[in-house]
Structures are given as C-alpha cells and as structure tokens.
Amino acid sequence: MYHHIADLPLDATELRMTWTVSPRNFDAQMQWLARNGFRTISMAQLVAHLKQRQPLPAKPIIISFDDGWQEQYTTAFPILTKYGLSGTFFVYIRPLDHTEFMTWAQLQELVAAGMDIQSHSLTHPHLRALAPDAAYKEIAESKALLEKRLGKPVIAFCYPFGEYNHTIIEMVKRAGYESAVTLAGGYRQRADELYTLRRIRVSYRDTLDDFIKRLP
C-alpha cells in the first residue's frame, strides 16, 4: 500500500513520512519484486481466486495506491512499467483534474497500459459519520462514474481513512462491489474476508530489508 511517492525535506512530519515513500526506495522495491519472481495481479483476479479458486501466477502481488495523487502517475507509473509490473489505483473523484491529483486523461492512459483503477469514494469522507443516504451515494456513485468514464468494471472499494463497520460493508456489497481493502496490516487473504482485505503499508524510513521481511 502506497500513497505519496516523493522526496521529503529533513523536517518532514511523522505523519507525512508514514504515508510517503521516496522515488529511489520505490524503484528499489519494485526492482526487488521483479527480480524475485513476483507477478502483479488485479483485484478481479484476486476475487476470482478467493471465490472460485481461479488460478493465480506464482508469487502473486497487488501493488496498491490510494487517493490518486499526481506523483503516482508521473513517478510510480514509469517505474512500474520499467519492471513489467502493474498497479491498482484507488482514486476518489472530487480532486481529479485538480492540482496535485491525476487527471481523467491520465487515468485513461493508466487503463490503456494495463493498470487497475478502483474506487475510493467521491470525496474521501468519514463514511461512518454520514447519514446512510449520503454514505451510500459516496460508495455507489464513485463506482458508476469510474465505470462510465473509463469503460472498465470497478469491483473493489477502498474505505476512506480505513474506516468501516457492518453497515458500511453492507452498502459496499449493495453497490455491487465484490471486495474492499482496509488499512489493516498483513498479506494473508481469505475468501470470508473479501470486504476487509489486508495490505502492507510501506513508509519513508523503511529499508529494503524492512520491505522484504513483510512479504511472504
């Protein structure tokens, strides 16, 4: 799980360092994955494997990015391409085409290059704090908009702030999603946890050895 791919100043806050990885470290991590036989898959492939036991390549991995920041296109995308890897980008709708975020045209380019685009809501709200109708709109309309603009099925949801409860999960299911990802750490995925999938967070201070030790 990645958010920002950027170099930070020496006085960067702890929060910023938690959610950022330097381009140099990201490149080293992707190079290690490629050299060690990891194969990137899509969310749809993961769901098909967990639900119907569809086969996956050896050492499958999903490289996910949250929010839709511009550097995910300008920095991460070329690095992924360099190593023959694909990424899954969970984007929310409101900031698209605005400063610091990707544009719709860039998302279309990612799709054409084999990248996976999935939903992260309309406005990145605290879903549990919203009225039910408003929460469902965030979940369902983001899916519909992405599918309309990109011409591809959207089957996975990323909970804003990693926040969810039983009611939110039921809304995600009702909206037609087949899976959802959290901020919970780990790599073991189970068929009975399709709407609470775990991810491995990578941060600024993580060394390559730190990164490797978190993988199976």
Side-chain angles (χ1 to χ4, degrees), residues 67-71 73 91-109 122 145-146 149-150:
D67 302 334
W69 298 102
Q70 177 66 213
E71 67 259 26
Y73 171 82
V91 301
Y92 69 106
I93 304 299
R94 182 172 63 182
L96 296 175
D97 282 339
H98 291 79
T99 308
E100 296 188 14
F101 287 86
M102 286 192 270
T103 67
W104 281 105
Q106 288 169 342
L107 288 182
Q108 289 163 343
E109 186 181 339
L122 291 173
L145 271 168
L146 287 169
R149 294 290 296 266
L150 302 178

Side-chain angles (χ1 to χ4, degrees), residues 197-213:
L197 296 171
R198 299 170 177 272
R199 295 188 290 171
I200 299 167
R201 184 175 69 199
V202 191
S203 297
Y204 205 77
R205 289 197 184 95
D206 291 335
T207 65
L208 187 58
D209 280 344
D210 294 332
F211 176 81
I212 294 166
K213 285 174 185 174

Side-chain angles (χ1 to χ4, degrees), residues 31-52:
Q31 182 184 68
W32 188 88
L33 290 175
R35 285 183 174 176
N36 285 274
F38 282 84
R39 299 278 298 279
T40 42
I41 62 170
S42 67
M43 290 299 300
Q45 285 176 281
L46 176 63
V47 169
H49 174 71
L50 292 175
K51 288 174 76 171
Q52 290 121 26

Side-chain angles (χ1 to χ4, degrees), residues 21 41 68 71 79 90 102 116 142 145 161 170 175 199:
V21 171
I41 62 170
E71 67 259 26
I79 293 171
F90 290 97
M102 286 192 270
D116 191 20
S142 57
L145 271 168
F161 304 103
E170 289 305 309
R199 295 188 290 171

Side-chain angles (χ1 to χ4, degrees), residues 79-148:
I79 293 171
L80 290 169
T81 302
K82 177 167 69 169
Y83 296 114
L85 302 170
S86 63
T88 294
F89 298 82
F90 290 97
V91 301
Y92 69 106
I93 304 299
R94 182 172 63 182
L96 296 175
D97 282 339
H98 291 79
T99 308
E100 296 188 14
F101 287 86
M102 286 192 270
T103 67
W104 281 105
Q106 288 169 342
L107 288 182
Q108 289 163 343
E109 186 181 339
L110 291 178
V111 168
M115 303 292 149
D116 191 20
I117 310 298
Q118 302 293 342
S119 172
H120 197 23
S121 77
L122 291 173
T123 68
H124 204 289
H126 293 275
L127 289 171
R128 294 178 303 188
L130 296 181
D133 286 354
Y136 185 72
K137 179 180 178 180
E138 288 278 344
I139 293 164
E141 290 193 10
S142 57
K143 180 182 192 298
L145 271 168
L146 287 169
E147 290 179 337
K148 180 180 178 182

